Amino acid sequence: MQTQIKIEQCEKPYCVIHTSVETDSIKEIAQKISMMDESGKSTAVSGWDGDYCIQIKQNELLRVYSLDKKVYVECESEEQPLLLKMRLYEFEELAERCGWTEFIRISNTDIVNLSKVHKFDMSLTGIVKVIYGDEKVAIVSRRYMNKIKDKILMNRK
């Protein structure tokens, strides 16, 4: 496949594919390119709603959690959680590889997007709740409290 880079004034880089026929492989290439940021890193994951695969951009992700040995993702654009066909640790590795620094594990079963967290509810009983999205709540386990405090203090600086 022939490639060409053209330097011109534009707000954001964009890609145009010239082809005589729109094939499945061309569509696949276009979709992969559309899920990348300017650095070439992926900005989306695939969530499943039954037979439908839905591309969820990194900035729409609210929370990734496991329930009944399956992993789900909550996002702003979908009302119901979507099935994520990867394990939590695989999502963490993906986030790290892609440079998604806003994701942090808050318990053995939950990862939240700190940029979508509205507040931390620190009750007198010692239970810490993360309030995100449309007033949704997740519970922080004590095991991860120090990691979260370090991350929050690091973000403040």
Side-chain angles (χ1 to χ4, degrees), residues 16-27:
V16 177
I17 299 174
H18 298 273
T19 181
S20 58
V21 179
E22 186 176 356
T23 63
D24 288 339
S25 60
I26 294 293
K27 287 180 185 177

Side-chain angles (χ1 to χ4, degrees), residues 131-145:
I131 299 161
Y132 63 96
D134 296 329
E135 297 303 310
K136 295 178 182 178
V137 176
I139 305 295
V140 176
S141 75
R142 284 189 215 143
R143 174 189 234 181
Y144 291 92
M145 274 309 299

Side-chain angles (χ1 to χ4, degrees), residues 2 5 15 17 24 29 32 34 38 48 64 67 72 75-76 80-81 100 102 104 115-116 126 130-132 151 157:
Q2 183 181 358
I5 297 174
C15 181
I17 299 174
D24 288 339
I29 290 169
K32 285 181 181 179
S34 70
E38 289 84 10
W48 294 84
V64 180
L67 179 68
Y72 298 93
C75 56
E76 293 174 330
Q80 296 296 319
W100 301 351
E102 294 299 314
I104 187 165
S115 67
K116 303 296 181 178
V130 176
I131 299 161
Y132 63 96
K151 182 85 170 185
K157 293 179 181 179

Side-chain angles (χ1 to χ4, degrees), residues 8 50 57 84 88-89 93 95 103-104 107 130:
E8 61 183 39
K57 293 201 174 193
L84 194 63
L88 279 177
Y89 75 88
E93 290 170 357
F103 291 91
I104 187 165
S107 70
V130 176

Side-chain angles (χ1 to χ4, degrees), residues 41-146:
K41 294 180 179 175
S42 175
T43 60
V45 295
S46 299
W48 294 84
D49 184 11
D51 292 336
Y52 295 97
C53 177
I54 300 168
Q55 295 299 311
I56 311 157
K57 293 201 174 193
Q58 173 246 334
N59 61 354
E60 293 179 352
L61 293 171
L62 298 173
R63 172 180 167 227
V64 180
Y65 66 97
S66 66
L67 179 68
D68 297 331
K69 297 186 179 185
K70 292 183 180 178
V71 177
Y72 298 93
V73 61
E74 288 181 3
C75 56
E76 293 174 330
S77 60
E78 298 293 322
E79 290 181 28
Q80 296 296 319
L82 302 173
L83 180 66
L84 194 63
K85 293 187 176 179
M86 62 176 62
R87 304 270 186 226
L88 279 177
Y89 75 88
E90 292 173 327
F91 178 82
E92 278 184 309
E93 290 170 357
L94 172 72
E96 189 174 322
R97 274 196 321 270
C98 293
W100 301 351
T101 58
E102 294 299 314
F103 291 91
I104 187 165
R105 189 181 281 256
I106 61 167
S107 70
N108 283 340
T109 59
D110 284 289
I111 299 171
V112 295
N113 184 346
L114 281 178
S115 67
K116 303 296 181 178
V117 171
H118 299 298
K119 56 187 167 187
F120 289 90
D121 181 4
M122 312 262 194
S123 68
L124 294 175
T125 61
I127 296 173
V128 177
K129 297 177 186 175
V130 176
I131 299 161
Y132 63 96
D134 296 329
E135 297 303 310
K136 295 178 182 178
V137 176
I139 305 295
V140 176
S141 75
R142 284 189 215 143
R143 174 189 234 181
Y144 291 92
M145 274 309 299
N146 288 336

